[in-house]
Amino acid sequence: MLETARDLTLEAARDASYIRKTSTRPLPAAQLKKLLDSRTERDVLEGLRKVITMDYRNQPTLPFFTSVIKNVASPSLEVKKLVYIYLLHHAEAEPDTALLAINTIQKSLADSNPQVRALALRVMSGIRVPVISQIVSLGIKKGAGDMSPYVRRAAALAVPKCYALDPSTLPQLLEFLATLLGDKQYFVAGAAVAAFLEVCPDRIDLIHPHYRSLIRKLVDMDEWGQLATLRLMMVYARKCFPRRTRRVKKTIVSSTTNKLTTKTTKGFYDSDSDSPDSESSESYEKIQVLDPDLELLLKSASPLLQSRNSAVVIAVARCYLYLGTPAHLDAAIGPLISLLRSAADIQHIALYNIVQVCLARPQPFVSHYTHFLVRSTDAPHIWRLKLELLTLIFPHAPPRLQSLILAELSHFSRSSGSQDPGLVREAVRAIGRCAQSSATSPRTSARCLRLLLAHIGSADAHLVAESLEVIRHLIQRDPDAHRTTVVRLAKHLDAATSAQARASIIWLVGEFAGVDPANNIAADVLRILAKGFADEAEAAKLQIVLLAAKVYVHYLDANPPPDPPQTQPKASPSLLDGLDDDSGFRDVEVPQQQKEPEKKDMYPIPALYHYILLLTRYDTSYDLRDRARVYRALLATPSSTQLASLLLLAPKPVPQTPSPSEARKGYTLGSASLVVGDEGGVGGLRGYSDLPPWVAEGQEPDARLRDEVVSSSRDYEPMASRSQTASERLDSAVSAVPTSAYSRSPAGDTGLAPKKASANGVKEKSLDDWLAEDEESEETETESEEEESTEEEETESEEESEEEGEGDRLVKSS
């Protein structure tokens, strides 16, 4: 034994050193062909390794095709594997030469080694030559009935490849799939489900007999089989189980006893309580009623939440979200949160799916808020999703947790050189979303507004602009409660240096120009802004012109001009008379009756308005000059004042700032389109398919289609459907065979009494009759053997006596 171990160790060391020396050294083509044509298995194996290495390095290996194919009949499994790998890569380039190896591969389907049979079937289906589609179909048929589960699994995986080669083989492949879907081995069934989804995902009728067996095998399948089965069951449940609901009485918590009580209001008669009209609709709630088979699916998928594969956990959460009840979905929250401890790429995808679930049901995520706090090591795409999750759970959090979330957001919203500007901007937007939530209390909204107002005096122009944008949205939601806020913002105009920030403040002042005219500050703000109009940015100038127009419209509404006296109409000026040298339109002449009051008018508002229009007339911005001409034309005549009021003072819609992931809400949980979003296209990425709608009540398939299945495996049979015991089989066989035997007497004695004749006049045997007959047959056999032995002894004695008599005669005669 020591010598054998020593020899094996030396041989392994020699092989390792040989491979280490020669694996990285390139060989010329002639020497490589010599190795491939060698009769030594070691040389052929080395040559194949060189060729495969060159192939994966994108080096030309097609010239060695003939030399490699020669070794397809090698008895070595390692050589076969390398030849098959090479054949899969280059069969399309040399289809005629590749067909020479088909006969040898077919012979391998009858090999005694199941690994060789499975590998041969895999290679035969992987050779993308349409001519051999029928041969591949025959190979799949043979593999589907193989004794080894590995070969049957290879046959299941070969079905979609054969269908891609020749779609006309679909009827044959459907028969093979129907057989493989009911296989007793779980990894064969998982591969069959994956093939079913690629070949015929709409043939739900093939799944009916195997629905329950597939669900029972779900736990034991590999990760790929579990993903395929869960995906199939999602579609199957939508098409076969209608969505049913039931009205139940609400369960409320008593404030005095802190116990669950059911709110009931019965009528005088018992029937009154059963009718929905006898009680208020507020005392009832609708709950989902699950089909027993659907409940079996959700219960069987529960252990998969502990899977090590993150895709399986998300797939189970998808089933609970779209098929189950809120109680099922709550059970998947913890496993989803545990995915945040994974690598950065898995954490990124998990966060998108967590946000999708949180949009549908945010309450269970409140207790896991610590996982959504931003860390210093988080990448931008990670902390953006974490901030979004904090804003989603904010309305459902208790006051203490709301204070903590606001403190976290306020910390990141402070501008500093070490922080990312994008993080500052997203934190400010998150504070705004927290304040705009409908479930947020007024006290919390006021605190959010104070946090935003504290940023106005910051030196960071981007922070001030973003804060003012959010403040503007908050003020528009409730204008009457923020009059003093607008005054406070107007006082910060001198400190604001950002053009966008100044434009937002001026726009807010203009929106409140008509509120409380006696104490309004809009005209004073316009007067101050007119002094430095030439130094403002274009965005601020546009808002100043708009503010001047709004103030002037309010002035005209409060002081309507007197109706002018009727005079003879003058000739209208021509269009050429209205042109200026500066390529703009000059004021159209108005009647003398309208000019005189303007000269005598000493109010500051019209003077400010005309002064702003005069300043814009010589501005370099085309957009600003065009905007001023529109306002001048609208407010030039009293008849157009009403139109100007409708245009300038129209109520603005309340701005909504939904969660950034609201646009992805239509995509299915766990899909790639959910992560990519609208960047992948309007309808998602190519190949994306949405969930089918729920089947209507009364149009679902008959549930008995799932009851008729009889499993072929004892491992997955229920206790009620298992095979009978040996005694039960024997009793059933005895009762089925008619005979004229005797039965035991009714008194229970050992004697045999004739049994009653059946309806056809033939007597039936019992178990005792069968045993009695066996004993009689044994006795007769022993008696016959004894008789035969006595007869043989008698014949032998007679022969001996005759021989002795003949001997005596010979003696006497001599």
Side-chain angles (χ1 to χ4, degrees), residues 596-733:
E596 291 181 357
E598 291 183 3
K599 293 179 180 179
K600 299 178 181 178
D601 196 358
M602 299 302 295
Y603 284 101
I605 292 179
L608 283 173
Y609 170 69
H610 289 289
Y611 178 69
I612 295 296
L613 292 182
L614 186 62
L615 292 176
T616 57
R617 186 173 185 178
Y618 301 101
D619 197 86
T620 57
S621 173
Y622 290 95
D623 190 13
L624 186 60
R625 295 203 304 266
D626 293 341
R627 191 75 59 89
R629 290 192 195 99
V630 173
Y631 297 153
R632 184 188 298 116
L634 282 174
L635 301 175
T637 57
S639 59
S640 60
T641 304
Q642 186 177 2
L643 178 60
S645 299
L646 293 175
L647 180 64
L648 299 175
L649 305 180
K652 307 299 186 297
V654 178
Q656 300 291 336
T657 55
S659 183
S661 296
E662 283 287 346
R664 308 170 188 259
K665 199 173 182 179
Y667 295 115
T668 308
L669 187 72
S671 62
S673 298
L674 176 64
V675 179
V676 178
D678 293 336
E679 297 178 2
V682 179
L685 293 173
R686 184 179 180 183
Y688 171 78
S689 59
D690 202 356
L691 290 176
W694 289 94
V695 64
E697 185 78 22
Q699 297 182 1
E700 70 276 8
D702 192 355
R704 289 176 294 181
L705 295 174
R706 296 183 290 274
D707 297 335
E708 294 175 359
V709 62
V710 178
S711 178
S712 60
S713 172
R714 295 182 183 179
D715 297 336
Y716 299 97
E717 283 185 1
M719 295 297 295
S721 64
R722 289 192 176 182
S723 58
Q724 298 176 343
T725 60
S727 61
E728 292 174 351
R729 290 183 181 180
L730 186 59
D731 290 340
S732 61

Side-chain angles (χ1 to χ4, degrees), residues 23 31 78 110 121 134 169 271 301 310 316 525 553 681 736 771:
S23 60
Q31 187 176 356
E78 289 79 6
L121 184 57
Q134 295 298 329
T169 59
S271 59
S310 58
V316 177
V525 173
V553 166
L771 296 175

